[in-house]
Amino acid sequence: MNHAVPWPYPRLLAHRGGGTLAPENTVAAIGVGREHGYRGIEFDAMLAADDVPVLIHDDTLERTTSGHGDVATLTSTELGRLDAGSWHSAAFSGEPVPMFEAAVRYCRAHDIWINIEIKPAPGAAARTGDAVARATARLYADLVRPGADAAVNIEPRVPLFSSFEREALAAARQAAPDIPRGYLLDRVPPDWQAQLLELGCVALHTNHRHLTRAVAQQIKGAGYWLFCYTVNEPARAAELFAWGVDAMCTDRIDLIAPERAT
Ligand code: G3P
Ligand code: MG
């Protein structure tokens, strides 16, 4: 890691597109985030049965769609016909499960930066990392810089991958080595730096609830970027920024103004 390189992306991200104000991981949610001034979002990408990436968080359909069963058993066409909005509110009724490509194209068209969380269904980590990375590389082919697998050479419009799954990150690295990666960890383990080195990650993403000032300072002192999820109280966001946290995502885009970080 290069100690001199500041986080080049937006510092406040709308979690799952639009936080609690819209149905998660939909294009409508990204639009709501945008209406609230958010220029950066986090979303979750998973594979359909035909290996096409779509936006969805759970590996089952019941909570956020009109479908039933496992996401991985339906093709992208079938998933695209489901209603992913009604569970949230009638205003979003009929909002579809978006194809990853369509969501990324929407973001690019509106200058929205993305933290792409690679969210594999059980047993599909490597396949998901590979497919999402290939699709991203294709969609940003004009911007990806060869040799950008280091903070010093990062193009700030290109997404940052993150994942809890090591295999997914390794596959993404293999498929698109020039797109940077962050390792997602609920709690920061003592050997975090060795793990980041092994995965070639430039950032550590972690649950803010378990983060301490001392650990934040260690990570920043070692020259890594530090990202927190999911911060929903303005006072906590301010505290984390004061500790040196680079960026965070929030569900409360109505409470935390994106310009706080600038
Ligand atoms: O990427 C940060 C955060 O989204 C991780 O947790 O479960 O909301 O995807 P989850
Ligand atoms: Mg996520």
Side-chain angles (χ1 to χ4, degrees), residues 87-251:
W87 72 271
H88 180 276
S89 51
F92 295 102
S93 172
E95 183 66 25
V97 174
M99 299 301 107
F100 173 82
E101 176 166 345
V104 169
R105 286 193 189 283
Y106 178 91
C107 290
R108 280 212 65 174
H110 296 286
D111 288 327
I112 296 166
W113 179 76
I114 320 170
N115 167 206
I116 297 173
E117 184 185 339
I118 304 170
K119 190 74 113 181
R127 213 153 38 85
T128 308
D130 179 75
V132 171
R134 282 180 197 281
T136 307
R138 184 168 46 78
L139 292 162
Y140 289 87
D142 56 324
L143 295 178
V144 175
R145 293 176 181 160
D149 193 19
V152 71
N153 200 26
I154 278 169
E155 148 61 58
R157 289 170 291 179
V158 172
L160 174 67
F161 294 133
S162 59
S163 188
F164 288 105
E165 301 294 332
R166 303 170 63 88
E167 261 189 88
L169 289 170
R173 182 185 198 179
Q174 179 88 22
D178 300 320
I179 299 180
R181 295 164 304 282
Y183 189 23
L184 256 165
L185 292 154
D186 182 40
R187 289 174 189 268
V188 180
D191 65 341
W192 65 268
Q193 193 164 358
Q195 296 200 41
L196 262 63
L197 273 171
E198 189 190 326
L199 292 164
C201 286
V202 294
L204 190 151
H205 296 221
T206 195
N207 187 338
H208 79 95
R209 293 181 194 286
H210 311 304
L211 186 69
T212 62
R213 181 199 293 264
V215 171
Q217 284 172 351
Q218 267 178 35
I219 295 162
K220 289 309 300 168
Y224 289 90
W225 290 333
L226 177 57
F227 179 94
C228 282
Y229 68 90
T230 300
V231 183
N232 293 330
E233 291 167 4
R236 180 60 171 162
E239 181 177 47
L240 292 165
F241 281 133
W243 289 358
V245 169
D246 292 297
M248 58 195 74
C249 61
T250 183
D251 282 327

Side-chain angles (χ1 to χ4, degrees), residues 15-16 25 42-44 57 117 119 162 164 184 249:
H15 186 224
R16 305 183 191 176
N25 288 312
E42 181 267 5
F43 64 53
D44 306 293
H57 179 277
E117 184 185 339
K119 190 74 113 181
S162 59
F164 288 105
L184 256 165
C249 61

